[in-house]
Amino acid sequence: MTDDAPLLSVRGVTKWYGRRLGCRDVGFDLYPGEVIAIVGESGSGKSTLLRLLTRQADIDAGTVSYRMRDGSLRDLSALTDAERAVLRRTDWGFVHQDASFGLRMSVSAGGNIGERLMSAGARHYGDIRAEAARWLARVEIDQARIDDTPDTFSGGMRQRLQIACSLVTGPRLIFMDEPTGGLDVSVQARILDLLRGLVVDLGLSALIVTHDLGVARLLSHRIMVMKAGEVIESGLTDRVLDDPREPYTQLLVSSILPA
Amino acid sequence: MKPVLEISGVSKSFTMHLQGGVSLPVMADVTFDVRAGECVAIVGPSGAGKSSVLKMIYGSYGCDSGRIVVTHGGEITDLVQAPPRQILALRRETIGYVSQFLRAVPRVPALDVVAEPLVALGAAREEARDRAAAMLTRLNVPQRLFGLPPATFSGGEQQRVNIARGLLPDYALLLLDEPTASLDAKNRAVVVDLINARKRGGAAIIAIVHDEDVRDAIADRIVDAAHFSAAA
């Protein structure tokens, strides 16, 4: 957290889909150990932004730079496909709302974790299996389920398996898109606590896209509020939630039902 | 010596965009300071802005104008201008805040809620837990509760967890919002002792306390929030 060089540096990122704006002029720095939540309602451009930052889609203008493990800050557009693939396989983790985007549903839980380890260079079967078992325990999945496939898992277990898969390679940055979307609140709370603990213990940086301000409050240091493709307000999480300035942010905050 | 906290000319209003943009003035031109080893009690009626000024010092509320300057370890920071990362660093290292209500995180046990700030300051987890346990014991929180999340605790138990969390690290500046409101006499006395010990240790303290006995026991000076009023 005291590291003064940003891990991810974003400037003027803009994307059009024909005449429809995806996002416009988004810029921020994400520092090591820092968690930023991107909030806003459906269609505000927050998931689009995540796809642009991870280069699942090309941007029309702006730059996204990432601090490599050797300390150099590199423009992602200037990386080779192979270099970007290495980032995606090892240095970045992904937790999607739909577990089938992040997992192979007909491959065993242990196999899902093992595949990620192998793509990062692991070769020894015994080591891979032991590491997979260790991570299942860490995300509170019974190790007896190691040979079961995620299509036999509950929604909450699938999300926890995704988290294990994304963290097993020791990434520095995790991208999460509605990580608790569509889950029961009790299941949500368990996943949020798990994520919160892991992020702190491992010193991870994270970008979390969510429409749930409770998720943002629990997990993030800073919030960016998006509306119609633009960041309209940003700052300390508790400041944005407790003293919102923009009409749209006030509307979001005031729309939360008290528990 | 320069005060730990200098508030000068601070003004704050809320603009309620959902209520036709009506502006609610909270305070205007508030000025006071707090020195190391001193406890300033803020008094005044409900709605005078007592809790708001603590939230502005902690950075949870923004300010419209003025300066909130914290001096600690040779670093001088204006919290009104400081970027989020700098405020987070100050919260980690310099400013402790005991809010009126504990914002309980589901599933995190009381012991870790209290130990967490020490771990963030670099203490080993076991050492932090030992110190947290000692602090909770001092505040008469029964040991059987240490492993449970505070969400299910009584008001007084939650408040003592909150106090333990805020008073355990050696913060140079402490913000206390009604720290004894839901405590019995025995625990009020413990909290008064803890606060006075932190004063002797050199902490600058701002406390909102309605209880006059507690106020007399800890406060060196009184700041009257009636003078905060934006309308005055």
Side-chain angles (χ1 to χ4, degrees):
Chain A
M1 276 290 291
T2 49
D3 203 323
D4 273 335
L7 184 64
L8 186 73
S9 193
V10 179
R11 295 289 177 273
V13 165
T14 300
K15 174 74 175 179
W16 291 89
Y17 293 98
R19 289 169 60 189
R20 190 172 63 79
L21 180 67
C23 66
R24 190 203 319 258
D25 197 22
V26 175
F28 64 93
D29 288 322
L30 176 71
Y31 288 85
E34 190 175 41
V35 178
I36 296 182
I38 304 167
V39 306
E41 59 195 13
S42 304
S44 59
K46 51 195 199 307
S47 294
T48 296
L49 178 61
L50 211 58
R51 277 198 298 279
L52 298 175
L53 298 179
T54 55
R55 306 320 289 266
Q56 290 159 280
D58 287 328
I59 55 180
D60 295 334
T63 58
V64 180
S65 306
Y66 184 72
R67 180 129 353 238
M68 309 297 277
R69 286 190 185 253
D70 66 6
S72 63
L73 189 67
R74 301 277 303 276
D75 184 340
L76 291 182
S77 304
L79 295 182
T80 63
D81 286 347
E83 284 174 312
R84 277 202 291 267
V86 169
L87 281 184
R88 272 198 294 272
R89 282 201 300 263
T90 61
D91 224 28
W92 294 352
F94 299 88
V95 179
H96 305 274
Q97 175 173 1
D98 184 342
S100 65
F101 289 169
L103 298 173
R104 295 221 289 157
M105 300 306 274
S106 55
V107 171
S108 72
N112 267 287
I113 299 178
E115 276 187 354
R116 170 101 168 157
L117 275 172
M118 285 193 285
S119 73
R123 288 292 172 265
H124 185 279
Y125 175 79
D127 290 349
I128 291 171
R129 187 155 173 98
E131 188 68 3
R134 201 176 68 80
W135 270 98
L136 286 179
R138 188 134 190 203
V139 298
E140 303 169 17
I141 294 176
D142 184 348
Q143 295 187 32
R145 304 294 302 269
I146 192 168
D147 294 317
D148 294 345
T149 56
D151 51 16
T152 68
F153 285 6
S154 69
M157 284 171 70
R158 289 177 187 176
Q159 288 313 75
R160 283 181 273 134
L161 180 59
Q162 260 202 98
I163 292 166
C165 287
S166 63
L167 295 183
V168 68
T169 57
R172 292 185 296 158
L173 174 57
I174 307 290
F175 297 95
M176 299 187 231
D177 192 354
E178 303 282 6
T180 58
L183 299 175
D184 290 345
V185 280
S186 62
V187 179
Q188 266 190 31
R190 187 168 176 193
I191 288 180
L192 291 175
D193 284 335
L194 180 70
L195 280 173
R196 185 174 173 275
L198 288 168
V199 164
V200 172
D201 290 347
L202 305 173
L204 299 172
S205 302
L207 276 176
I208 303 172
V209 162
T210 180
H211 69 278
D212 185 334
L213 300 183
V215 170
R217 184 177 301 261
L218 195 64
L219 292 179
S220 72
H221 299 105
R222 282 196 285 150
I223 283 184
M224 299 196 300
V225 182
M226 289 194 76
K227 184 192 176 200
E230 296 185 69
V231 175
I232 55 153
E233 183 162 3
S234 65
L236 270 181
T237 293
D238 53 323
R239 168 104 48 114
V240 171
L241 296 181
D242 296 341
D243 187 11
R245 300 301 170 102
E246 292 294 320
Y248 178 69
T249 315
Q250 290 186 357
L251 180 65
L252 283 182
V253 171
S254 69
S255 305
I256 302 173
L257 296 172
Chain B
M1 212 167 85
K2 200 168 155 51
V4 176
L5 177 71
E6 292 170 283
I7 298 178
S8 51
V10 164
S11 299
K12 167 78 186 161
S13 59
F14 289 109
T15 304
M16 320 288 276
H17 290 289
L18 307 181
Q19 279 76 38
V22 62
S23 177
L24 286 182
V26 180
M27 61 188 74
D29 200 21
V30 170
T31 298
F32 67 96
D33 57 25
V34 189
R35 297 179 172 274
E38 178 185 46
C39 177
V40 170
I42 304 181
V43 302
S46 295
K50 302 189 295 296
S51 293
S52 291
V53 82
L54 295 194
K55 287 178 182 169
M56 287 154 76
I57 298 166
Y58 201 60
S60 300
Y61 285 177
C63 299
D64 301 342
S65 61
R67 285 160 54 86
I68 298 178
V69 176
V70 172
T71 304
H72 178 232
E75 297 259 342
I76 300 174
T77 312
D78 180 0
L79 283 161
V80 175
Q81 303 294 336
R85 292 183 70 231
Q86 209 173 348
I87 295 177
L88 289 171
L90 279 169
R91 288 181 184 180
R92 197 166 53 243
E93 289 152 18
T94 308
I95 309 177
Y97 174 39
V98 178
S99 56
Q100 257 176 298
F101 302 102
L102 180 67
R103 194 183 282 282
V105 177
R107 292 217 312 166
V108 178
L111 194 62
D112 285 334
V113 169
V114 177
E116 220 166 48
L118 289 179
V119 174
L121 280 164
R125 191 167 291 275
E126 280 319 302
E127 185 212 329
R129 283 194 177 133
D130 288 346
R131 291 180 57 193
M135 182 60 117
L136 286 170
T137 302
R138 176 135 190 227
L139 285 159
N140 299 305
V141 176
Q143 196 161 1
R144 63 184 159 76
L145 297 182
F146 290 6
L148 303 177
T152 54
F153 293 6
S154 74
E157 286 161 351
Q158 289 197 16
Q159 186 163 41
R160 281 177 281 152
V161 170
N162 212 8
I163 289 167
R165 178 183 162 93
L167 292 187
L168 190 51
D170 270 327
Y171 296 122
L173 177 60
L174 280 173
L175 314 173
L176 311 176
D177 195 344
E178 292 287 6
T180 58
S182 21
L183 302 186
D184 58 25
K186 183 173 81 166
N187 285 310
R188 266 204 306 276
V190 175
V191 172
V192 165
D193 284 348
L194 286 170
I195 291 171
N196 283 328
R198 296 306 317 280
K199 272 170 63 180
R200 286 193 299 279
I205 300 174
I206 306 183
I208 299 171
V209 218
H210 274 115
D211 185 309
E212 286 183 27
D213 295 337
V214 173
R215 195 192 303 155
D216 290 345
I218 62 171
D220 302 287
R221 272 195 299 137
I222 304 283
V223 167
D224 189 347
H227 302 308
F228 290 179
S229 166

